[in-house]
Amino acid sequence: ETIGQQYAAGMPLNLFCHSMGGGIGAAVLERYPTLFDKAVLSAPMIAPATGMPLGVARVLVGALCGLGFGKKRVFGQSGFTPEFSMEGNEGASEARERWYFKLRCENSEYQTYCAAFEWVRQALKLNRAILNPPACAEVETPVLLFQSGRDIWVLNKPQNHFVQLVKDGGGEANIVRFPESRHEIFSMPNSTYKPYLEKILGFYDDPMIAPRTDVALHPLFTVRSPCGPTRFRWRESHGIMGIMSSLRRRGCGRGMCRRARVDRLHGVQ
């Protein structure tokens, strides 16, 4: 709402996020429906892969955190080591993996590596919050979700569920699936990376997906926002107060729009 808008300088403000960032991004889209113009979620963590049913994982990590193990490392995970290996990344581009690994070695901030039990507990709480149908129905930003078919870190089915819930709520969301890709699609060979990058840039550039300034919300009237490109989703149950609420959210998000004017009232004397 502040720094991002300053950098955007009046241009469209688009979101790109990956993995855990994708889960957080999905939650942000639900809470701030008009903050971004478009959003790309790359292999988002709508739900983490825990190796067991999510309900069982919730009970287990809840108990372990209750016993004081919240900051302990999850069983079977290890810390970052400076020895490069392609183990677990088979099929990815070795050149890209080596470049990413070099960055991690040079920056201690990039060396977070394993999960603690409290992290898993919070990830599962985020999963429930994201897949709440009323929350998904609040998403107004067009969403493009990229899915990795060989993902070992996040689950595919919750991603499908999220997209369907956004659509059911009247939003615009689509999935692009790369069946042979691992979690980090951007680390795959050019045969995957090239179409991945092209689809991202095409989505951001496509004027047919861009928010509109004038939107016919009802046969009686059209609303125009004085703060630039804006999209509104008409819900019959919301009435005029729902429209004004959407305008207020847009105004808060952009820090520019303080009012909206009704341009035309057809058939009203």
Side-chain angles (χ1 to χ4, degrees):
E1 292 181 357
T2 54
I3 296 175
Q5 291 297 339
Q6 292 174 14
Y7 274 100
M11 299 293 288
L13 184 62
N14 297 325
L15 175 67
F16 177 91
C17 43
H18 166 71
S19 194
M20 182 178 72
I24 295 170
V28 169
L29 295 176
E30 294 173 347
R31 186 165 183 179
Y32 302 99
T34 58
L35 182 57
F36 295 101
D37 293 282
K38 296 179 185 177
V40 170
L41 309 182
S42 181
M45 190 189 72
I46 306 300
T50 61
M52 64 184 73
L54 296 183
V56 176
R58 285 190 179 92
V59 173
L60 178 60
V61 297
L64 288 169
C65 289
L67 292 171
F69 290 93
K71 294 185 178 181
K72 298 295 183 181
R73 184 179 297 166
V74 170
F75 305 133
Q77 298 207 6
S78 58
F80 176 80
T81 56
E83 291 85 28
F84 177 80
S85 172
M86 284 294 289
E87 183 180 356
N89 293 309
E90 294 84 356
S93 164
E94 183 172 342
R96 290 192 173 101
E97 287 292 339
R98 286 188 177 279
W99 185 74
Y100 295 138
F101 189 78
K102 180 175 179 291
L103 292 179
R104 298 185 76 177
C105 290
E106 294 172 348
N107 297 273
S108 59
E109 296 86 354
Y110 299 167
Q111 295 172 15
T112 52
Y113 203 68
C114 59
F117 287 111
E118 180 60 29
W119 182 90
V120 177
R121 189 171 78 94
Q122 294 299 327
L124 293 171
K125 289 175 67 175
L126 180 65
N127 161 248
R128 273 188 167 167
I130 292 172
L131 293 181
N132 180 22
C136 292
E138 289 297 316
V139 176
E140 297 185 17
T141 305
V143 176
L144 185 61
L145 188 151
F146 287 92
Q147 189 175 82
S148 305
R150 297 170 60 201
D151 207 319
I152 63 171
W153 299 111
V154 302
L155 301 178
N156 283 176
K157 287 185 177 180
Q159 294 170 346
N160 298 339
H161 191 198
F162 170 73
V163 167
Q164 189 59 54
L165 287 173
V166 171
K167 288 182 175 180
D168 291 346
E172 182 178 349
N174 292 287
I175 291 180
V176 175
R177 177 176 170 84
F178 289 97
E180 299 303 316
S181 179
R182 305 193 72 86
H183 182 57
E184 291 86 3
I185 306 174
F186 44 77
S187 73
M188 298 299 290
N190 287 344
S191 57
T192 296
Y193 180 77
K194 184 175 184 290
Y196 170 70
L197 184 60
E198 288 175 343
K199 289 181 184 296
I200 291 172
L201 297 179
F203 173 71
Y204 285 147
D205 289 340
D206 189 347
M208 299 303 292
I209 305 175
R212 298 169 300 186
T213 302
D214 290 305
V215 181
L217 298 170
H218 189 273
L220 289 180
F221 50 79
T222 298
V223 170
R224 172 176 296 168
S225 166
C227 63
T230 307
R231 71 191 288 269
F232 304 98
R233 188 171 62 232
W234 168 256
R235 295 179 190 163
E236 195 70 37
S237 61
H238 280 193
I240 188 65
M241 295 309 296
I243 298 168
M244 299 311 296
S245 175
S246 181
L247 287 166
R248 284 195 297 273
R249 289 199 302 269
R250 166 66 60 166
C252 292
R254 299 224 178 255
M256 297 166 63
C257 177
R258 291 294 177 266
R259 63 184 178 83
R261 55 191 171 88
V262 176
D263 286 337
R264 297 186 297 276
L265 289 174
H266 302 299
V268 177
Q269 301 297 324

